[in-house]
Amino acid sequence: MGLRSSFRKAMDKLASALIPNHADKTYRTMLGILSEGHGHRYSRLAWSASRDSATPLPWYTYPAIEYFDSLDVKNLKIFEFGSGNSSQYWARKGALVWSVESDPSWHQQISSLSEELSSYKLIEDPSLYAQSINHHDQSFDIVIVDGINRLDCARHAVGKVSASGVIVLDNSDWHPQICDFLRSEGFLQIDFNGFGPINTYSWTTSIFINSQNSVISRKVLSKPIGGITPT
């Protein structure tokens, strides 16, 4: 019996033990959307942010991924602080992707995909890593903050994102200071709370839209149901 088959049977057994008989059909359908529809079962087995072996996903929450799936980003310029399956995801959607990575072993692993990217660099120094976006003359339509030294990365991102562009901050529920900073710079924060690939807890991926003239202000900081507090 293969690992995937064994895992499936174990999960079915666990579900049977936890879910009342009269609710089996309803909850199995709901679990199926997460497990099979979003591909969470596969991502856990493969320990990879993927829906299946042919569909790499960003390691963002599923609600954020569904939103990004709906966008036409062909020929948009994207800068990533932090690389991975997200790099491949954006490139395959037709975006032009510049990515910087701080982890040498991860950089080596992802380098096989670098042909799909406009630029892929290893920068280990946290300060130089955050400043790397300034080495490019152009502005970017999307800047993704999902690596080390995130506050400094966000500070530099503000000066390089286009006037109509978007900043994406993953794990924003862990980084209230960064959220406060971006909002103070005139960005409107939109949160996508929920589960995502691999993890068994929920978290928040947020987008920040440049909206100096927005009449909407934030009342409270959103927290994902089932989220965790980093230690």
Side-chain angles (χ1 to χ4, degrees), residues 6 42 92 99 115 124 149 156 176 183:
S6 298
Y42 177 85
R92 290 186 178 183
S99 188
E115 291 182 0
E124 298 181 63
N149 198 11
H156 289 288
R183 292 197 304 274

Side-chain angles (χ1 to χ4, degrees), residues 41-230:
R41 185 199 300 269
Y42 177 85
S43 75
R44 287 288 292 181
L45 283 170
W47 204 256
S48 170
S50 305
R51 184 168 290 126
D52 52 48
S53 60
T55 313
L57 296 174
W59 204 349
Y60 313 152
T61 62
Y62 287 129
I65 293 171
E66 287 192 82
Y67 172 70
F68 293 134
D69 281 347
S70 73
L71 300 183
D72 179 7
V73 298
K74 187 175 182 179
N75 295 324
L76 292 188
K77 298 173 182 177
I78 297 179
F79 189 92
E80 286 189 307
F81 289 106
S83 64
N85 279 7
S86 58
S87 312
Q88 195 174 14
Y89 170 85
W90 291 113
R92 290 186 178 183
K93 283 176 67 66
L96 306 174
V97 181
W98 286 258
S99 188
V100 61
E101 178 56 51
S102 63
D103 185 319
S105 60
W106 186 243
H107 179 268
Q108 184 175 11
Q109 183 175 336
I110 301 299
S111 287
S112 61
L113 309 174
S114 62
E115 291 182 0
E116 300 182 46
L117 309 182
S118 296
S119 174
Y120 185 42
K121 294 184 178 181
L122 172 67
I123 303 178
E124 298 181 63
D125 180 87
S127 180
L128 296 178
Y129 175 92
Q131 296 172 33
S132 62
I133 192 171
N134 298 320
H135 299 164
H136 304 279
D137 293 333
Q138 78 270 24
S139 60
F140 294 93
D141 301 296
I142 301 175
V143 179
I144 299 165
V145 180
D146 195 18
I148 64 168
N149 198 11
R150 296 192 188 192
L151 180 56
D152 280 348
C153 289
R155 286 171 173 154
H156 289 288
V158 166
K160 295 299 291 185
V161 69
S162 66
S164 59
V166 172
I167 296 175
V168 179
L169 174 63
D170 194 30
N171 308 109
S172 56
D173 50 315
W174 296 359
H175 299 283
Q177 184 180 4
I178 300 176
C179 296
D180 288 344
F181 165 72
L182 290 173
R183 292 197 304 274
S184 74
E185 291 293 314
F187 288 86
L188 174 66
Q189 180 178 347
I190 302 173
D191 298 326
F192 295 91
N193 301 325
F195 291 102
I198 302 175
N199 297 332
T200 56
Y201 56 85
S202 61
W203 71 97
T204 307
T205 302
S206 296
I207 64 172
F208 292 82
I209 300 173
N210 197 338
S211 57
Q212 296 283 357
N213 299 319
S214 174
V215 297
I216 303 173
S217 61
R218 175 167 291 266
K219 184 176 181 180
V220 295
L221 181 64
S222 178
K223 289 289 186 180
I225 297 172
I228 64 171
T229 300

